[in-house]
Amino acid sequence: AGDDEHLGNYSFQFGYFLHKHKQYDLVPTWYEKALAFYRNKTEGNAETYLPNVAMALNNIAVLYHNKGELDKAKEGYAEVLR
């Protein structure tokens, strides 16, 4: 566990920091790292990590919306709701 256990949160928080500072080109890498971590952790622990998956997907959709990529944003919001 240790630092590995926090990798998803660190990645998400750094992506969020970049997002809030409008560094849109840098954000996807960090949100995608967090999303991959959370999705991997849902296997056998869905109740704990599915909310994190939804939060990461939502923030990715918001990012696309902020960038004016509305079709991608719509796809992202739809995935959150599945």
Side-chain angles (χ1 to χ4, degrees), residues 60-70 72-73 77:
I60 291 168
V62 169
L63 171 67
Y64 286 133
H65 183 227
N66 292 150
K67 291 174 66 174
E69 298 179 34
L70 301 182
K72 285 185 179 181
Y77 290 130

Side-chain angles (χ1 to χ4, degrees), residues 1 3 15 17 35 37 46 57 76:
D3 287 338
F17 172 83
L35 181 59
F37 176 85
L57 287 168

